[in-house]
Amino acid sequence: MVLSLNIGSTGPTDEKQNKVWDVIIVGGGPAGVSGALYTARGNLDTLVLYRAEADGALGITSNIENYPGVPGPISGYELLKLMRKQAKTFGAEFEKATVIGANLKGDIKEIYTEDGRVYKGKTVLIATGALERSSKIPGEDKFLGRGVSYCAICDAHFYQGKPVIVVGDSEYALEEAELLSRFASKVTMVVPIKRVKAPSEMVRQMEAKDNVEILLGRRPLEIVGKSSVEGLKVKCPSGDERVIPSEGVFVFLGGSKPSVDWLRGQVELNEKGGVKVNPETMETSVPGVFAAGDVLGHRYKQAVIAAAQGVIAALNIDKFLNNRKDVQIQW
Ligand SMILES: Cc1cc2nc3c(=O)[nH]c(=O)nc-3n(C[C@H](O)[C@H](O)[C@H](O)COP(=O)(O)OP(=O)(O)OC[C@H]3O[C@@H](n4cnc5c(N)ncnc54)[C@H](O)[C@@H]3O)c2cc1C
């Protein structure tokens, strides 16, 4: 496997930006992909944007054995690949992109990505799951913009020839670390748990780089410095605490909060901090914008439930776009 980053806007990426899609789905987990399967099969032009291949709650799960029809045990990522392959056979298109903002008002919705791309759609399905963090590393707020960053592509060039730290355990964090390794003198990846939740081939490729070190089982305790970042204090597996010197700390940790930050208050949220929907239709407070899966913040966090909600959303997107009196069931 080759580490690939979707930087810049070339070739097919530009074509994808130059059109107005019937449906843009943000999130490539079971909710987003099941929705895509139905919208694409219903002849709607469908684009799925997702942050990393083995990402999201299903993407990082090592064993699934309760997804109907797939006896398993199978890794969540393998199951996802099957779902994506099926959606693609009906014409759904996929693009790797980290979404950081959107303009959902109006008839044509715009979706903005970290690397400056803009996608336009008549409808949007929000399916970004619930892996956002609820707590921060001490010092994170204090040094934000003074050494703390959440975006390699935005800030990597500031660290040309300097040491940086990446904190995270996901494929997404690994990809960001890879980008930083092209600029920084050294990238130390601080992984709080005992493994990186990414395909092992990808981890090996990163470990083989001269200027990359991956430290497993190091709990970040505090980002330290005077006026700007000077290092990260971590707790080692031995229990010892040490400061890893660095001029930048890039944080890509996950949690269990609905991933709604990128929406910046454009749709109403519910009391759980998830996207508020009409449970009959999955429509949000904004016409033409739907949501499904863990991003709703509900208690039923299961792949099959996320998939089913994605399908309900898809059928209602079709109803919305085609001004139908009722949903048209696919047989
Ligand atoms: C450890 C663990 C074990 C589990 N075991 C099971 C199990 O055995 N059986 C079961 O049924 N369920 C299990 N679940 C729950 C199940 O994985 C989730 O309920 C399900 O994956 C939710 O699907 P989703 O599509 O809503 O979100 P996710 O699967 O989390 O997918 C979210 C998608 O959004 C994308 N995304 C997020 N933010 C952005 C952004 N800013 N820009 C672009 N893309 C973005 C991600 O890349 C990802 O593609 C488990 C979950 C975990 C964490």
Side-chain angles (χ1 to χ4, degrees):
M1 182 189 304
V2 174
L3 280 172
S4 65
L5 289 162
N6 222 334
I7 301 165
S9 308
T10 52
T13 301
D14 283 330
E15 280 165 33
K16 287 184 177 137
Q17 289 182 84
N18 288 340
K19 63 188 277 188
V20 177
W21 296 83
D22 290 327
V23 195
I24 297 183
I25 297 177
V26 187
V33 179
S34 305
L37 165 64
Y38 270 67
T39 54
R41 190 165 177 263
N43 264 338
L44 299 176
D45 249 359
T46 302
L47 177 67
V48 181
L49 302 174
Y50 64 103
R51 203 170 45 178
E53 294 292 338
D55 195 32
L58 189 60
I60 60 168
T61 298
S62 45
N63 257 326
I64 298 281
E65 50 188 17
N66 56 3
Y67 194 83
V70 186
I74 182 173
S75 77
Y77 182 40
E78 288 303 319
L79 179 57
L80 259 188
K81 283 199 279 190
L82 288 174
M83 292 182 185
R84 289 176 184 165
K85 189 173 169 198
Q86 191 180 6
K88 282 178 192 169
T89 60
F90 292 107
E93 296 197 39
F94 285 69
E95 187 80 356
K96 204 190 248 189
T98 298
V99 173
I100 56 163
N103 182 357
L104 300 174
K105 315 283 176 201
D107 291 342
I108 303 299
K109 327 283 181 199
E110 290 184 334
I111 303 290
Y112 310 119
T113 74
E114 189 181 71
D115 55 2
R117 285 175 277 163
V118 182
Y119 295 98
K120 297 179 222 45
K122 294 177 198 162
T123 61
V124 170
L125 171 56
I126 299 165
T128 37
L131 291 183
E132 218 147 81
R133 274 190 309 156
S134 43
S135 65
K136 293 196 169 176
I137 304 169
E140 200 176 318
D141 280 340
K142 179 177 166 193
F143 293 115
L144 184 59
R146 288 185 290 141
V148 168
S149 172
Y150 306 110
C151 174
I153 198 163
C154 315
D155 294 337
H157 61 280
F158 295 125
Y159 297 94
Q160 188 83 49
K162 297 176 181 169
V164 298
I165 291 171
V166 167
V167 190
D169 56 23
S170 62
E171 180 180 326
Y172 176 53
L174 202 66
E175 288 191 343
E176 297 282 306
E178 197 278 333
L179 175 60
L180 283 162
S181 71
R182 301 184 210 168
F183 295 82
S185 57
K186 177 166 184 194
V187 176
T188 307
M189 188 159 168
V190 171
V191 184
I193 57 173
K194 287 187 188 144
R195 70 179 185 99
V196 183
K197 292 180 264 178
S200 48
E201 176 66 26
M202 208 169 165
V203 179
R204 272 198 296 275
Q205 275 188 39
M206 277 296 279
E207 281 170 335
K209 287 189 154 232
D210 288 343
N211 65 339
V212 172
E213 185 179 20
I214 300 180
L215 299 175
L216 301 176
R218 304 306 199 277
R219 192 154 60 83
L221 296 178
E222 187 184 356
I223 298 168
V224 296
K226 292 186 188 78
S227 56
S228 60
V229 167
E230 291 172 19
L232 175 71
K233 189 195 276 186
V234 297
K235 187 162 195 165
C236 303
S238 62
D240 292 349
E241 293 179 9
R242 63 172 276 233
V243 173
I244 305 169
S246 168
E247 296 191 24
V249 176
F250 286 74
V251 187
F252 304 107
L253 287 170
S256 54
K257 240 175 39 125
S259 302
V260 294
D261 282 2
W262 64 277
L263 290 161
R264 292 161 207 262
Q266 291 196 63
V267 295
E268 269 181 46
L269 300 183
N270 56 35
E271 65 289 349
K272 300 261 168 50
V275 178
K276 186 174 174 184
V277 291
N278 172 347
E280 289 281 312
T281 61
M282 298 292 147
E283 193 165 22
T284 70
S285 54
V286 178
V289 180
F290 297 74
D294 285 4
V295 77
L296 304 185
H298 54 66
R299 51 153 58 104
Y300 306 106
K301 290 193 171 70
Q302 287 289 281
V304 66
I305 290 171
Q309 290 174 340
V311 172
I312 295 172
L315 296 174
N316 282 285
I317 286 170
D318 173 72
K319 173 174 177 262
F320 178 90
L321 286 172
N322 291 305
N323 289 316
R324 299 187 200 284
K325 279 212 177 83
D326 200 357
V327 293
Q328 190 174 65
I329 300 301
Q330 285 185 22
W331 300 109

